[in-house]
Amino acid sequence: MYIESPRYTERFGSVRMNYVQMVVALDSGTKSELPPHGAMGVMKIDEETIKHFEDKMAIVIPIKDEKLKLFEGVISGIPHDCLVITVSNSQIEKIDRFRMEGDALNQICRFTSREALIVHQKDPAIAESLAEAGYNDLLGEDGLVRDGKCAAMVIGLLMAKAAGKEYVGFVDADNYFPGAILEYVRNYAAGFSMAKSDYSMVRILWHYKPKLSAGLYFKKWGRVSEITNKYLNDLISSKIGFETEVVKTGNAGEHAISMKLAEILPYAAGYAVEPQELVSIFENFGGILPTRERKVMEQGVDIFQIETRNPHLHEEKGDEHLKDMILSALSTIYHSPLCDKELKQAVLSELVRQSIIKEGEEPLPLHITAAPKKMDTKKFVAAIQEDFDKYRALQ
Ligand code: GDP
Ligand code: CO
């Protein structure tokens, strides 16, 4: 593919956050000449490089009661060499949707001889292995894994680790365009190929997000993203003393992380998970607060933001959760030790302006799951590996 070269990088301690890079063309052929490096501000990432990273990557699909046709489409878009890991919280009683998902996955894997794993979030065996490894943050009062996409992501990334993968990417199950999924994963691979550090992250910015109102309208920015990005940028600006607009992917659900970085990040519940990753990276490696991760400070953390060619179209589940999204994102900033008094006040005013909290109220602290590395991952991985066959889509 052809992609804009990283033109400008914001440095924040040992974090290197790159400005958005646009995909120029989805394919770069095998014959075409490589432009003189950087001459046109465009880089060629050849197919071999993309395949090299896809082979080391697991793609985690969190799913909860989505239309089966959408799920099938999503799987069909994931490059063949990636290991597919489906973490489902779909209903089992009455209609066993989890079983239907397993059957659909099994069929595709048979037709295409590919590998995939599928696990139910509420599988007691998973909860047991987590408890044994001391990872109680993920467990609810009933002793099973909590609800929510965040818990699914963490289980998925631990399974990716158990399968020996070096990168883990996430894609939602409710996407209408298999071609967009294919592009997201190729963009993940392209991003990782540009990283200098073993600790890297690739976040997707959708070119357009069409809305079905009167006709199809290709909307460039979501309102929620705009607010999230503004305050994430303000958080950086307040620390480096220069205004920046580098963050454009605060809410990016579609993102991928190198396993080494994924293991040392905490994960917040609900809609806070994606912005919290950035806040935690700034906190841990931004050079302002003390860190225990000396190796990371030496290598640095590379963050890439890649703008897709495909538009993003997913199931619309109504507007009620927009306020919840803003509250979650801004809570991550409000409760960060990096957030100074002035920014806290600005966050409160924004939340009052959006009628999300009342004057005098504060956002509640979020439930945050500790970084996987803080628990005995080896124990969990060993327990999962023992049961691996049970989770294979192809039995
Ligand atoms: P939005 O796209 O941000 O509005 O959020 P969605 O409701 O589409 O959720 C994103 C993805 O996470 C979808 O694939 C959902 O099916 C999935 N999801 C949502 N909640 C859960 C959950 O509790 N567990 C799992 N495993 N997946 C979930
Ligand atoms: Co969605």
Side-chain angles (χ1 to χ4, degrees), residues 75-90:
I75 302 163
S76 74
I78 297 174
H80 186 86
D81 294 337
C82 299
L83 172 67
V84 170
I85 302 177
T86 303
V87 185
S88 172
N89 195 12
S90 300

Side-chain angles (χ1 to χ4, degrees), residues 108-339:
I108 299 176
C109 287
R110 250 186 313 118
F111 287 160
T112 60
S113 348
R114 80 174 301 165
E115 271 190 82
L117 302 172
I118 179 163
V119 59
H120 199 277
Q121 197 162 332
K122 302 285 178 183
D123 184 333
I126 295 281
E128 262 167 48
S129 313
L130 287 167
E132 230 170 84
Y135 211 170
N136 294 318
D137 288 8
L138 275 184
L139 306 177
E141 275 163 20
D142 59 359
L144 297 177
V145 171
R146 289 167 182 276
D147 284 322
K149 183 178 134 176
C150 161
M153 284 169 61
V154 178
I155 293 170
L157 85 83
L158 290 169
M159 291 187 83
K161 187 180 165 66
K165 294 292 170 184
E166 289 171 42
Y167 299 93
V168 57
F170 302 95
V171 296
D172 285 352
D174 62 342
N175 198 300
Y176 278 96
F177 298 143
I181 299 288
L182 177 71
E183 190 191 2
Y184 298 152
V185 179
R186 291 170 62 85
N187 293 351
Y188 296 160
F192 290 130
S193 79
M194 291 184 281
K196 295 187 194 81
S197 166
D198 292 338
Y199 304 89
S200 55
M201 175 180 272
V202 186
R203 301 171 76 92
I204 298 294
L205 175 65
W206 310 315
H207 197 172
Y208 295 107
K209 190 173 173 189
K211 284 252 183 253
L212 279 170
S213 43
L216 196 57
Y217 176 68
F218 286 79
K219 193 170 176 350
K220 185 96 183 157
W221 299 107
R223 201 167 60 95
V224 177
S225 304
E226 233 169 71
I227 295 175
T228 307
N229 293 336
K230 178 191 179 319
Y231 288 95
L232 282 168
N233 281 314
D234 287 354
L235 185 69
I236 302 179
S237 306
S238 69
K239 292 297 159 205
I240 60 176
F242 288 90
E243 213 168 287
T244 178
E245 287 188 357
V246 63
V247 180
K248 299 276 190 201
T249 55
N251 290 111
E254 263 68 32
H255 66 294
I257 323 177
S258 70
M259 189 56 76
K260 280 193 171 159
L261 179 59
E263 279 182 305
I264 54 175
L265 286 185
Y267 296 90
Y271 292 110
V273 60
E274 290 93 2
Q276 180 67 50
E277 288 168 1
L278 286 181
V279 170
S280 297
I281 290 176
F282 300 152
E283 286 173 4
N284 293 335
F285 316 113
I288 288 169
L289 303 172
T291 178
R292 282 200 208 98
E293 303 280 354
R294 284 243 303 286
K295 253 198 222 151
V296 192
M297 292 307 275
E298 274 164 33
Q299 283 206 35
V301 176
D302 288 312
I303 306 174
F304 298 93
Q305 306 181 90
I306 300 183
E307 186 173 74
T308 59
R309 278 281 146 190
N310 278 283
H312 183 81
L313 191 64
H314 68 148
E315 273 283 274
E316 278 304 332
K317 287 156 189 147
D319 279 355
E320 316 85 66
H321 67 282
L322 292 186
K323 282 189 175 175
D324 194 19
M325 283 182 87
I326 297 175
L327 177 63
S328 304
L330 295 194
S331 296
T332 66
I333 296 162
Y334 186 84
H335 291 289
S336 169
L338 290 178
C339 187

Side-chain angles (χ1 to χ4, degrees), residues 42-58:
V42 171
M43 286 167 76
K44 174 178 170 170
I45 302 193
D46 56 43
E47 218 46 39
E48 216 178 298
T49 307
I50 291 174
K51 293 292 163 222
H52 170 82
F53 283 94
E54 285 173 355
D55 190 41
K56 296 178 175 194
M57 202 185 312

